[in-house]
Amino acid sequence: MKLPLSGRALTAGAVAVATLMAGGSVAGAAPAAGHPAESTAPASAAAAPDIPIGNVKAHLAQLQSIATANGGNRAHGRPGYQASLDYLKAKLDAAGFTTTVQRFTASGRTGYNLIADWPGGDANQVVMAGSHLDSVSSGPGINDNGSGSAAVLETALAVARSAHRPAKHLRFAWWGAEELGLVGSRHYVSNLGSAGRAKISGYLNFDMIGSPNPGYFVYDDDPTIEKTFKDYFAGLGISTEIETEGDGRSDHAPFKNAGVPVGGLFSGADYRKTAAQAAKWGGTAGQPFDRCYHSSCDTTANIDDTALDRNSDAIAYAMWELSQ
């Protein structure tokens, strides 16, 4: 998640280039790690698969390894970002997705978005899930936003494993240069045109969903999408709150501003957990939801497995429900 305007560097000379490029080198993939106890989905989610948390964490381990091998980060315009994109693209290509790499320029560096379309479904009704793939330059960005990126990737792979054929068309996206001011997602939305934007029946955003002192926050933008997520968590007996900390600070904002229905999930950044929140969610009152936000300690050790598991399953639930 990008810093608020007062706390981040402005993106100087961010010029979008409407060039599409395909390709990218293939990074090696690690086998899935062990699968700890999963959350139990509500009965209404029976059509949606359980997302293996071990697989999500295996993706996070790969992103950590990529950052470690590339200066400790996966930031826009740096080798770690390109390697992260290559890793995801190889997985999606092998699973049968149609992938597109979209190029843009921000702060004098080339950036990339990765778009993956699942064949089939009504192309005039697109349900889309996305997350930003870039980290800040000061750390590997495993919660912010490896967590969202890995969970969206594993949901996409679950679509392929189940040979899911929904009525609506499914699209997944990973955005570049979010930390510089939502540059990648702004570029994508602006290049869709009005006709392309009208075809998106919902965009779901996932930015920081494994915070180590987690909350369970749901965007309140589109009522249908909001209810879908609230119903899921209600089925688990988990009380949610409306997301306010990241409002307008992540990649749903360009879609919302263009009139696309949006929603999403969030587990908290540098706001502090209240006593009331600790009472209902556990964790430590008075401490940030993520003490390593935008720091070098945002590593694989900076993840709450339970929050990551629940939120990953919620992504699948929503994608299945909203694409019927």
Side-chain angles (χ1 to χ4, degrees), residues 118-146:
W118 182 240
D122 184 353
N124 291 312
Q125 297 186 80
V126 178
V127 177
M128 190 170 183
S131 61
H132 76 87
L133 185 57
D134 62 315
S135 73
V136 292
S137 60
S138 57
I142 298 304
N143 187 38
D144 184 17
N145 183 38

Side-chain angles (χ1 to χ4, degrees), residues 16-295:
V17 180
T19 303
L20 295 179
M21 59 179 291
S25 60
V26 176
H35 188 177
E38 301 274 341
S39 56
T40 302
S44 60
D50 181 80
I51 299 301
I53 185 63
N55 291 4
V56 180
K57 291 187 70 178
H59 300 317
L60 292 181
Q62 285 294 308
L63 294 177
Q64 176 70 67
S65 295
I66 287 168
T68 300
N70 289 281
N73 68 74
R74 302 179 301 99
H76 163 72
R78 308 290 180 86
Y81 181 81
Q82 181 68 62
S84 299
L85 185 145
D86 291 346
Y87 170 73
L88 268 66
K89 187 177 186 302
K91 291 283 190 182
L92 294 159
D93 286 343
F97 283 84
T98 300
T99 59
T100 303
V101 178
Q102 186 180 44
R103 179 189 291 177
F104 59 87
T105 301
S107 298
R109 295 174 181 263
T110 301
Y112 306 97
N113 295 325
L114 175 62
I115 313 299
D117 284 275
W118 182 240
D122 184 353
N124 291 312
Q125 297 186 80
V126 178
V127 177
M128 190 170 183
S131 61
H132 76 87
L133 185 57
D134 62 315
S135 73
V136 292
S137 60
S138 57
I142 298 304
N143 187 38
D144 184 17
N145 183 38
S147 61
S149 294
V152 171
L153 172 61
E154 191 57 31
T155 300
L157 297 179
V159 168
R161 285 194 298 267
S162 65
H164 187 39
R165 291 291 183 266
K168 297 179 183 178
H169 181 75
L170 294 180
R171 180 175 298 156
F172 299 86
W174 294 265
W175 311 115
E178 187 268 359
E179 299 290 3
L180 298 183
L182 319 180
V183 181
S185 56
R186 290 183 193 276
H187 172 70
Y188 176 81
V189 172
S190 67
N191 280 276
L192 278 175
S194 58
R197 292 191 290 269
K199 293 178 181 179
I200 301 176
S201 58
Y203 170 72
L204 283 56
N205 193 64
F206 304 100
D207 190 350
M208 302 181 65
I209 61 169
S211 300
N213 189 27
Y216 292 90
F217 299 99
V218 176
Y219 296 14
D220 65 342
D221 298 285
D222 178 77
T224 299
I225 299 173
E226 178 187 0
K227 183 179 185 300
T228 301
F229 284 123
K230 284 185 172 181
D231 286 349
Y232 176 80
F233 284 105
L236 299 179
I238 297 171
S239 176
T240 60
E241 291 185 10
I242 297 303
E243 197 284 309
T244 59
E245 182 179 1
D247 198 21
R249 290 169 55 187
S250 193
D251 293 296
H252 61 291
F255 289 87
K256 181 179 178 179
N257 294 340
V260 175
V262 302
L265 300 174
F266 178 57
S267 59
D270 54 356
Y271 282 20
R272 294 181 182 271
K273 181 176 281 187
T274 67
Q277 290 169 332
K280 67 182 175 182
W281 292 329
T284 306
Q287 294 298 313
F289 293 101
D290 184 354
R291 64 180 181 83
C292 290
Y293 176 61
H294 282 189
S295 300

Side-chain angles (χ1 to χ4, degrees), residues 64 140-143 292 295-303:
Q64 176 70 67
I142 298 304
N143 187 38
C292 290
S295 300
S296 60
C297 59
D298 187 10
T299 65
T300 49
N302 191 47
I303 291 290

